[in-house]
C-alpha cells in the first residue's frame, strides 16, 4: 500500500510516498531555515506564507507513484502552518478519490527509525516485534517520553515543562551570536572540548516536584530547560567569553546539561519497566553527544537503541506517510472534517 504523506507543522514543507509503512519511495523536504535565520527562530506568519507558496510544487515533485491514501499531520505545531498542509491533503485525497488519514507529528517522529530507502533492506526488525518500547521524541518543539506498549499505542510518561531541548539549543546560540538553528552549531563548537570538572556549571533541568505544570506526571521523568537558559544569560553577563575557546567551553557545558538531563530521564524510564527497545526521533537526536550518551544508557539497560537515518531526524513527511500505515488518528469521513490541533499529544 502506497501512502502519500504531507507535513507542514513548523518550518518544513514536506511530502513523501511510503510503501507499506517503511519503504520510502520518494521524499521531498523544502526547508524554510534561511527565511527564519535573520530572526533567530521560526516566525509563524513567515512560515505559513512560505508553506502556501511551496506546497503544490513539493506535492507535485513527490507524485511519481500511484497512491492508495493520503496522510497528513494535523498537530501538534503552528496552527497557521498546519492548516496549509491539512487543506492541501484534503483537496488531494478528494481529487484522487482515496482515503485521508490524520497523523500526530510526535508519534510520527518515533516512527523514523523504522524507515528505510527503497529498494531496502530494512535496518531494523518490524516495529511490532520490538514492543513494548520506550520512545523519546526530542526536537525544536517537543521533548517527550512515551510508553509504547504495542505498535501504534502511546502514553506520555514524561515531558518538558517549558522549553523543548532544541529550543534550549537555539536560544543559547542566539544569545551567544552563533547563528540559527543553534543545535547543529553548538554540537560542532562543543566537539573536542575536554569535559573536565572546571567547565562552567549549569542547572541539570530537574523540575520541582509537586508543581502544577507537571499535570500529574512524575517529576523524575520530566525536565525543565527555562532555568538553564537564564543561568547561561547570567553566566555570560558575569563572565563574557574572551575568545572562541572560552565560548566553546561554555557551549560544551551547556550542551552537557541538556544531554545529561535527557539521558538521566531516559535511564530512569528504562528502569521503571521492561522494554525491548529505546526508540528516539526528532531533530535533536542528530546531536553527537546525545547519541553517545543514549547508546550508553540503552546498553546499560540491555535494550537496542533505535535511531533514524540523519535525513529522517528533522521534520519530514516520510514519517507521516509511514506511521499512517499502522496508526490513523482520524480516518473515514471524519478525516475530511478534521481541524488542526496545535496542542495534540501522543496517544490523543
Ligand atoms: O525535528 P526538527 O527538525 O523540528 C521540530 O519538530 O522542531 O528539530 C529542529 C531542532 C532545532 O531546535 C535544532 O536546533 C535541533 O533540532 N537540532 C539539533 C541538532 N540538529 C538539529 N540539536 C542539537 N544538536 C544537533 N546536531
Ligand atoms: Zn518535528
Amino acid at each position: 500500500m502506497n501512502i502519500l504523506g504531507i507535513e507542514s507543522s513548523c518550518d518544513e514543507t514536506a511530502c513523501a510516498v511510503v510503501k507499506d509503512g517503511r519503504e520510502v519511495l520518494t521524499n521531498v523536504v523544502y526547508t524554510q531555515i534561511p527565511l527564519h535565520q535573520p530572526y533567530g527562530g521560526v516566525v509563524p506568519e513567515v512560515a505559513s506564507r512560505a508553506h502556501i507558496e511551496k506546497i503544490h510544487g513539493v506535492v507535485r515533485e513527490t507524485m511519481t507513484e500511484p497512491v492508495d491514501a493520503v496522510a497528513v499531520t494535523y498537530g501538534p505545531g503552528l496552527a497557521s502552518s498546519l492548516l496549509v498542509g491539512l487543506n492541501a491533503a484534503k483537496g488531494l485525497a478528494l481529487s484522487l478519490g482515496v482515503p485521508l488519514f490524520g497523523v500526530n507529528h510526535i508519534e510520527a517522529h518515533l516512527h523514523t527509525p523504522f524507515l528505510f530507502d527503497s529498494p531496502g533492506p530494512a535496518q531494523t526488525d518490524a516495529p511490532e516485534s520490538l514492543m513494548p518500547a520506550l520512545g523519546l521524541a526530542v526536537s525544536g518543539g517537543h521533548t517527550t517520553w512515551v510508553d509504547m506498549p504495542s505498535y501504534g499505542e502511546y502514553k506520555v510518561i514524561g515531558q518538558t515543562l517549558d522549553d523543548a531541548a532544541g529550543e534550549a539549543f537555539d536560544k543559547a546560540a542566539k544569545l551567544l551570536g552563533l547563528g540559527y538553528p543553534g543545535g547543529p552549531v553548538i554540537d560542532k563548537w562543543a566537539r573536542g572540548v575536554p569535559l573536565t570538572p572546571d567547565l562552567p556549571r549549569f542547572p541539570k533541568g530537574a523540575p520541582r516536584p509537586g508543581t502544577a505544570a507537571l499535570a500529574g506526571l512524575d517529576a523524575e521523568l520530566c525536565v525543565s530547560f527555562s532555568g538553564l537558559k537564564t543561568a547561561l544569560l547570567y553566566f555570560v553577563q558575569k563572565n563574557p567569553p574572551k575568545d572562541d575557546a572560552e565560548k566553546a567551553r561554555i557551549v560544551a557545558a551547556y550542551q552537557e546539561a541538556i544531554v545529561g538531563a535527557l539521558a538521566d530521564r531516559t535511564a530512569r524510564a528504562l528502569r521503571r519497566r521492561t522494554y525491548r527497545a529505546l526508540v528516539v526521533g526528532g531533530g535533536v537526536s542528530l546531536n553527537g553527544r546525545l547519541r553517545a550518551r543514549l547508546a550508553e544508557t540503552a546498553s546499560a539497560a540491555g535494550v537496542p537503541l533505535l535511531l533514524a537515518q540523519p535525513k529522517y531526524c528533522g521534520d519530514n513527511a516520510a514519517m507521516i506517510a509511514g506511521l499512517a500505515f499502522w496508526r490513523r488518528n482520524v480516518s473515514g469521513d471524519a478525516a475530511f472534517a478534521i481541524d488542526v490541533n496545535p496542542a495534540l499529544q501522543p496517544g490523543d
Side-chain angles (χ1 to χ4, degrees), residues 154-240:
Y154 308 83
K155 183 175 184 294
V156 175
I157 56 169
Q159 63 187 9
T160 179
L161 304 191
D162 36 62
D163 294 351
E167 210 176 338
F169 276 110
D170 294 340
K171 286 180 175 169
K174 190 173 179 181
L175 189 93
L176 294 166
L178 298 179
Y180 174 83
V185 195
I186 290 180
D187 191 354
K188 220 157 116 201
W189 275 73
R191 219 166 285 163
V193 175
L195 299 172
T196 49
D198 61 337
L199 280 186
R201 284 182 183 276
F202 291 112
K204 298 263 184 296
R208 230 172 281 136
T211 55
L214 282 165
L217 293 173
D218 184 339
E220 296 209 330
L221 296 180
C222 291
V223 286
S224 161
F225 288 130
S226 61
L228 179 60
K229 181 187 63 197
T230 314
L232 174 69
L233 176 67
Y234 290 155
F235 182 87
V236 176
Q237 280 173 351
K238 242 174 110 185
N239 318 276

Side-chain angles (χ1 to χ4, degrees), residues 105 109 139-142 166 169-170 181-184 187 282-284 286-287 313-315:
H105 179 91
H109 268 303
S139 75
H142 12 85
F169 276 110
D170 294 340
D187 191 354
V284 180
L286 284 167
N287 186 272
C313 287
D315 286 348

Side-chain angles (χ1 to χ4, degrees), residues 7-8 10-14 30-36 42-58 80-81 84-85:
E7 155 65 38
S8 71
C10 189
D11 59 342
E12 267 85 27
T13 317
Y30 166 76
T31 179
Q32 304 175 359
I33 286 177
L35 299 181
H36 301 289
V42 177
V43 183
E45 171 81 9
V46 172
S48 58
R49 283 172 183 261
H51 285 307
I52 289 171
E53 272 175 29
K54 296 293 174 189
I55 193 119
H56 100 277
V58 167
S80 52
S81 285
V84 179

Side-chain angles (χ1 to χ4, degrees), residues 105-342:
H105 179 91
I106 303 180
E107 294 175 1
H109 268 303
L110 295 174
H111 184 62
T112 53
F114 302 110
L115 297 171
F116 63 90
D117 296 328
S118 188
Q123 264 109 58
T124 65
D125 292 338
E128 301 92 316
S129 70
L130 291 159
M131 301 298 118
L134 173 68
L136 166 60
V138 67
S139 75
H142 12 85
T143 299
T144 312
W145 285 266
V146 299
D147 205 17
M148 301 160 72
S150 65
Y151 207 59
E153 229 190 306
Y154 308 83
K155 183 175 184 294
V156 175
I157 56 169
Q159 63 187 9
T160 179
L161 304 191
D162 36 62
D163 294 351
E167 210 176 338
F169 276 110
D170 294 340
K171 286 180 175 169
K174 190 173 179 181
L175 189 93
L176 294 166
L178 298 179
Y180 174 83
V185 195
I186 290 180
D187 191 354
K188 220 157 116 201
W189 275 73
R191 219 166 285 163
V193 175
L195 299 172
T196 49
D198 61 337
L199 280 186
R201 284 182 183 276
F202 291 112
K204 298 263 184 296
R208 230 172 281 136
T211 55
L214 282 165
L217 293 173
D218 184 339
E220 296 209 330
L221 296 180
C222 291
V223 286
S224 161
F225 288 130
S226 61
L228 179 60
K229 181 187 63 197
T230 314
L232 174 69
L233 176 67
Y234 290 155
F235 182 87
V236 176
Q237 280 173 351
K238 242 174 110 185
N239 318 276
K242 285 191 280 296
D243 52 25
D244 281 358
E246 267 189 24
K247 239 185 209 182
R249 282 166 50 79
I250 296 170
V251 297
Y254 186 87
Q255 171 174 278
E256 215 45 31
I258 297 175
V259 167
L262 297 174
D264 174 74
R265 271 39 199 167
T266 305
R268 279 171 206 252
L270 286 171
R271 284 196 293 268
R272 296 273 168 101
R273 61 170 292 190
T274 306
Y275 291 108
R276 291 170 83 175
L278 170 60
V279 178
V280 183
V284 180
S285 70
L286 284 167
N287 186 272
R289 183 69 184 139
L290 180 63
R291 287 187 166 230
R293 287 292 312 271
L294 290 178
E296 289 164 14
T297 306
S299 149
V303 296
L305 167 64
L306 307 186
L307 289 162
Q309 290 185 56
K311 65 176 166 189
Y312 299 128
C313 287
D315 286 348
N316 65 85
M319 66 186 196
I320 306 301
L323 182 61
F325 187 72
W326 281 267
R327 166 97 163 129
R328 299 151 190 189
N329 299 49
V330 191
S331 55
D333 281 347
F336 286 97
I338 197 176
D339 193 2
V340 299
N341 185 346

